[in-house]
Amino acid sequence: MIIAEKKPIEEIIEEVRNFDRILILGCNECVTVCEAGGKKEVEVLASALRMYFITQGKEKIISEHTIERQCDHEYLEEIRKDIDNYDAIVSLACGVGVQFAAEKYLTMPLLPGVNTICLGANEDRGLWTERCQACGSCVLARTGGICPVSRCAKRVLNGPCGGSTNGKCELGPDIDCAWQLILDRLKALGRMDDYEKVAPIKDWSTDRAGGPRTVTREDVNI
Amino acid sequence: MRLKIPTNFRIVRLPCTGKIDIIHILRAFEKGADGLYVVGCMEGDCHFNQGNYRARKRVEQAAKILDQVGVGGERVKMYNLSSGEGPLFAQYSIEMVNKIKEMGPSPVRLAKQKMAKQKKVTAA
């Protein structure tokens, strides 16, 4: 899922200072799971903003609404009937949701309430770690299910670099060397022969370097 | 036991302190509470294993938010005691009430009262 982190309240206060009627818009998907922008976070942020502006002697309308997904037309349509009641929307969705809502409501200022971090997994309570960089041509079949693109700082594709020490990356003792993990897994799978095979040059045109990416599916397009 | 406790706080009963959420704490302040404390079981003694640990984390998060919005994070606190410690409950309530009295009314309450007065004047 997409991992996001709450923006500091002080930053959001500065963003919304000049608006009088604000909608805090949450998203029920990824940001809910990573506890950054779901219904609960919407309530908390709205309450915090209301308290702040009351203590400043300013009466602002700060409303709350959480929709199923902010990256889909049909759910974003839900707020169309109420949109004129607001001067700005603080979206707690990931960058995709904020942009999609901004595209849909052209004259409405859309402000992000979270920082979108990465595509990751919920490794432990309160710990989310990156697992995928959406490079567009998956190599996981060859690397034992561990991604050298997202988990190796250098994105090397043919074994560890010289900075790998005792299974850790030279960036820091807390970061696992992706290739150490791959080697361990290939050993466990009895597939060490695969490790000897030299990987061909990866097609990076499917990565971000090729500009914004799109997926077009004629088979599902009605 | 007939212990004396201050009368100026309201007890909200929960099935477990793990039920409390940040928004419950914030709403109390939004409605004008001057302080709030959560009393849970002793750490490690939770019937639901982690309820009081969860509560402590949420109280800490609420305190941080209250600091950020200028209400004051010291107005919320988490206490732990066992169900047999009535005198300690009384002591904590006196301690908290005294602390809040020292701190004075919540800025939210004061601002709300000021706004209400201004509205009355304007209406008149």
Side-chain angles (χ1 to χ4, degrees), chain B residues 68-85:
Chain B
Q68 286 169 322
V69 298
V71 176
E74 319 87 78
R75 290 179 183 276
V76 280
K77 200 169 172 180
M78 170 97 192
Y79 289 103
N80 296 89
L81 46 75
S82 82
S83 56
E85 291 179 303

Side-chain angles (χ1 to χ4, degrees), chain B residues 98-116:
Chain B
N98 287 342
K99 189 179 159 192
I100 298 300
K101 273 187 179 164
E102 259 174 50
M103 291 178 75
S106 147
V108 176
R109 187 152 71 92
L110 288 178
K112 272 183 148 180
Q113 282 171 351
K114 204 176 158 187
M115 274 183 190

Side-chain angles (χ1 to χ4, degrees), chain B residues 34-117:
Chain B
D34 296 317
L36 182 146
Y37 67 109
V38 179
V39 187
C41 302
M42 298 299 285
E43 288 191 354
D45 281 353
C46 178
H47 182 70
F48 305 103
N49 295 337
Q50 290 170 326
N52 46 9
Y53 289 115
R54 288 179 201 274
R56 178 169 295 279
K57 287 281 180 182
R58 289 168 190 163
V59 167
E60 282 168 9
Q61 285 184 56
K64 196 179 161 199
I65 293 168
L66 290 172
D67 262 335
Q68 286 169 322
V69 298
V71 176
E74 319 87 78
R75 290 179 183 276
V76 280
K77 200 169 172 180
M78 170 97 192
Y79 289 103
N80 296 89
L81 46 75
S82 82
S83 56
E85 291 179 303
L88 202 56
F89 179 85
Q91 188 193 316
Y92 286 158
S93 63
I94 295 165
E95 188 184 305
M96 195 64 191
V97 166
N98 287 342
K99 189 179 159 192
I100 298 300
K101 273 187 179 164
E102 259 174 50
M103 291 178 75
S106 147
V108 176
R109 187 152 71 92
L110 288 178
K112 272 183 148 180
Q113 282 171 351
K114 204 176 158 187
M115 274 183 190
K117 261 186 200 172

Side-chain angles (χ1 to χ4, degrees), chain A residues 72-147:
Chain A
D72 258 329
H73 284 296
E74 63 246 55
Y75 298 115
L76 270 175
E77 278 299 327
E78 262 179 48
I79 57 166
R80 186 174 290 283
K81 60 184 188 310
D82 302 321
I83 200 94
D84 293 333
N85 299 334
Y86 303 103
D87 301 324
I89 297 177
V90 176
S91 165
L92 296 195
C94 67
V96 180
V98 179
Q99 289 183 65
F100 209 53
E103 284 165 32
K104 207 161 183 60
Y105 301 109
L106 207 59
T107 54
M108 176 62 58
L110 247 297
L111 309 161
V114 301
N115 291 323
T116 310
I117 307 294
C118 61
L119 299 181
N122 192 185
E123 211 174 299
D124 202 350
R125 187 86 188 100
L127 175 68
W128 293 272
T129 48
E130 185 163 21
R131 286 290 187 277
C132 179
Q133 287 199 341
C135 71
S137 55
C138 197
V139 295
L140 286 172
R142 201 179 65 79
T143 59
I146 291 158
C147 175

Side-chain angles (χ1 to χ4, degrees), chain A residues 6 8-10 13 40 43-44 47-55 57-59 64 125, chain B residues 21-23 26-27 29-30 54 58 61 65-66 68-71 107-108 111-112 115 119:
Chain A
K6 288 183 206 170
I9 289 177
E10 293 91 338
I13 288 171
K40 277 188 180 186
E43 288 174 342
V44 168
S47 175
L49 290 179
R50 275 194 294 265
M51 277 196 275
Y52 174 79
F53 287 113
I54 285 172
T55 57
K58 289 173 193 159
E59 249 185 301
E64 308 155 17
R125 187 86 188 100
Chain B
D21 217 327
I22 306 169
I23 190 62
L26 296 187
R27 272 206 199 118
F29 282 94
E30 219 185 313
R54 288 179 201 274
R58 289 168 190 163
Q61 285 184 56
I65 293 168
L66 290 172
Q68 286 169 322
V69 298
V71 176
V108 176
K112 272 183 148 180
M115 274 183 190
K119 269 186 189 168

